[in-house]
Amino acid sequence: MTVTADSAHIDNRPLDRRDAKTLVLSALGGALEFYDFVIFAYFAKTLGHLFFPPGTSDWVAQLQAFSIFAVGYLARPLGGLVMAHFGDRIGRKRMFTLSVFLMAVPTLIIGVLPTYATIGVLAPVLLTLLRVVQGIAIGGEVPGAWVFVAEHVPRHRVGLACASLSAGLTFGILIGSLVAAGMNARMSPAEMLDHGWRIAFLLGGVFGFFAVYLRRWLSETPVFARMRERKELTTELPAWVVLRDHLPSVLLSMVVTWVLTAAIVVVILMTPTLMQTAFHVASARAFTAGSLAALALCIGCVLGGLLVDWQGKARAMLVASLGLAISTYALYADLKAGGANLFVLYSFAGLFAGVAGIVPSVLVAAFPPAIRFSGISLSYNVAYAICGAATPVLVGYLAKSAGGLGPAHYVGLVALVGACSAFYMMRQRKTSAS
């Protein structure tokens, strides 16, 4: 089911002030929510020592904390499927607001959670449960946000709309990186262990509730409103329709999501911590470099979206995948040699991690509007649950055992898969044209 022909004039209109308001508010709210989800990664080393038995080595403590971080990805499909079901049946906006509320509450609670020294083994158990709730929230947030902005703008600007939302989400990573860098620069290790880490999570709770307030000013998408008016909403279980009628689209969407996870989880989120443990880079320098990479990522997302609107999603995916592989190898080779060019090379890697701004255009185009939220949510969240949960543990092990270049080998392999997906899309387009 697609948008009907008599709405073509709407799809061909230019961006207007209302579109700009929607994109800005959506991106800002997404940034504040994504900060809540990723701040865990930047304090993984600290949390590993506080929520597990004392005397644990740095590497084991980091691996344990990354394992809890990964649990959030395993919970994503549950939240994503439930919110997508109601998003396809009763509206995009309601789920868009609910997801950010579900993120704010556990983040605030983590900020006041007792540690292992106070309540023993109950501490990591509670931390894991709160991480599960965060995963449920983000599982509905990201697919819902892409659908929301894509259905608000003209069809020929979907690339820019999705990319601007992705840039907003990744701006949340930048905020997290800046907070971590600032706190590590101004606080001693003892102060960070005592109370510094709590500030970051309490701040995230405040950010989350502010994002809830921002979303009060958004309206339902025109595409959903038209489907509801014309009674074009699916009457079947949306997830079942996706699996029954759109399996090739699901598989393609899962593959490109794998590329996105490698770019975000490995290059952006894990690398600042891996610099410290595998390459012995000072924490302040590592987080400063991470902030530059996160800023470059925001720019890369927007450039990726513009490239989609200009050259199409397949060519954009090919360019970004190849660039991601090359820049990541250059970064890790430089780290192994001493990190003399860390800031420049990490910025380039962050720029090509802007493949995160291209992937949502592929997902949005893969499914018709009536089951779009469910299609994206199923594909994206299941892929992210598998890849996102396995990646931190696998890459953490590779960083220890593969001579320092292990993370780059992983990203290079996944980027190659991304390039193959681009060639597949080019072939599909030629087949459809003929």
Side-chain angles (χ1 to χ4, degrees):
M1 195 180 302
T2 58
V3 178
T4 51
D6 62 349
S7 63
H9 70 283
I10 299 176
D11 294 324
N12 291 326
R13 65 176 175 79
L15 287 175
D16 58 25
R17 184 176 298 179
R18 184 178 55 184
D19 296 323
K21 173 187 172 183
T22 297
L23 293 180
V24 170
L25 290 178
S26 299
L28 181 56
L32 298 178
E33 181 175 6
F34 216 66
Y35 166 93
D36 289 0
F37 189 70
V38 303
I39 194 64
F40 196 107
Y42 288 113
F43 289 89
K45 185 178 178 181
T46 300
L47 294 173
H49 283 294
L50 290 171
F51 284 85
F52 293 95
T56 306
S57 68
D58 281 352
W59 180 73
V60 174
Q62 172 188 290
L63 193 60
Q64 289 172 325
F66 274 142
S67 297
I68 293 182
F69 176 68
V71 166
Y73 293 112
L74 292 174
R76 292 175 76 146
L78 173 62
L81 285 175
V82 172
M83 291 190 191
H85 173 83
F86 290 104
D88 279 332
R89 298 292 292 271
I90 66 174
R92 320 301 201 198
K93 181 186 173 181
R94 293 181 184 180
M95 298 302 105
F96 199 37
T97 303
L98 176 62
S99 65
V100 73
F101 177 78
L102 288 179
M103 179 63 74
V105 173
T107 306
L108 197 63
I109 296 175
I110 290 175
V112 298
L113 195 64
T115 62
Y116 190 93
T118 304
I119 59 174
V121 72
L122 190 58
V125 172
L126 291 175
L127 183 63
T128 302
L129 291 175
L130 291 169
R131 185 66 184 164
V132 167
V133 178
Q134 286 188 320
I136 290 173
I138 207 71
E141 164 67 16
V142 178
W146 285 332
V147 171
F148 191 84
V149 297
E151 292 185 352
H152 264 288
V153 301
R155 193 179 304 176
H156 63 286
R157 286 292 179 263
V158 166
L160 178 59
C162 290
S164 68
L165 193 283
S166 297
L169 297 176
T170 56
F171 188 71
I173 299 175
L174 174 59
I175 297 172
S177 180
L178 289 173
V179 168
M183 293 179 66
N184 276 276
R186 289 168 175 78
M187 291 185 176
S188 67
E191 289 175 323
M192 288 297 298
L193 285 169
D194 179 63
H195 63 276
W197 66 276
R198 294 188 184 277
I199 297 173
F201 285 94
L202 293 174
L203 187 61
V206 174
F207 283 166
F209 285 111
F210 182 60
V212 173
Y213 171 76
L214 288 178
R215 291 189 175 174
R216 293 177 60 239
W217 303 101
L218 295 172
S219 58
E220 185 57 83
T221 74
V223 171
F224 185 87
R226 289 199 296 268
M227 288 192 300
R228 182 168 52 195
E229 180 183 348
R230 295 166 180 168
K231 304 186 184 304
E232 295 173 345
L233 301 177
T234 180
T235 56
E236 299 180 85
L237 186 67
W240 167 243
V241 177
V242 170
L243 292 173
R244 184 190 64 198
D245 300 337
H246 302 279
L247 191 56
S249 295
V250 170
L251 296 176
L252 173 64
S253 299
M254 291 180 71
V255 166
V256 296
T257 298
W258 187 19
V259 182
L260 185 149
T261 64
I264 299 299
V265 176
V266 181
V267 178
I268 302 299
L269 296 182
M270 292 187 67
T271 295
T273 300
L274 293 173
M275 286 182 197
Q276 300 171 64
T277 55
F279 301 102
H280 308 293
V281 176
S283 60
R285 187 166 185 254
F287 283 121
T288 299
S291 298
L292 291 173
L295 176 60
L297 170 62
C298 296
I299 298 170
C301 283
V302 175
L303 292 177
L306 291 172
L307 188 60
V308 168
D309 288 340
W310 178 38
Q311 289 292 320
K313 56 188 183 294
R315 291 182 181 177
M317 191 74 194
L318 179 62
V319 171
S321 296
L322 295 178
L324 179 66
I326 294 169
S327 60
T328 303
Y329 269 113
L331 169 63
Y332 274 84
D334 181 69
L335 283 169
K336 189 174 181 181
N341 303 299
L342 172 60
F343 290 163
V344 173
L345 290 177
Y346 201 4
S347 296
F348 272 110
L351 190 69
F352 282 106
V355 68
I358 296 170
V359 168
S361 294
V362 178
L363 304 184
V364 167
F367 302 99
I371 48 90
R372 179 174 288 152
F373 197 162
S374 294
I376 295 176
S377 185
L378 176 66
S379 309
Y380 175 81
N381 284 311
V382 170
Y384 225 128
I386 297 170
C387 303
T391 295
V393 179
L394 176 61
V395 171
Y397 172 76
L398 289 174
K400 181 74 174 178
S401 62
L405 290 179
H409 294 329
Y410 177 83
V411 174
L413 172 64
V414 178
L416 178 61
V417 173
C420 291
S421 72
F423 287 121
Y424 170 79
M425 287 186 282
M426 291 177 186
R427 182 178 178 182
Q428 288 296 102
R429 184 176 180 180
K430 288 182 180 178
T431 303
S432 299
S434 61

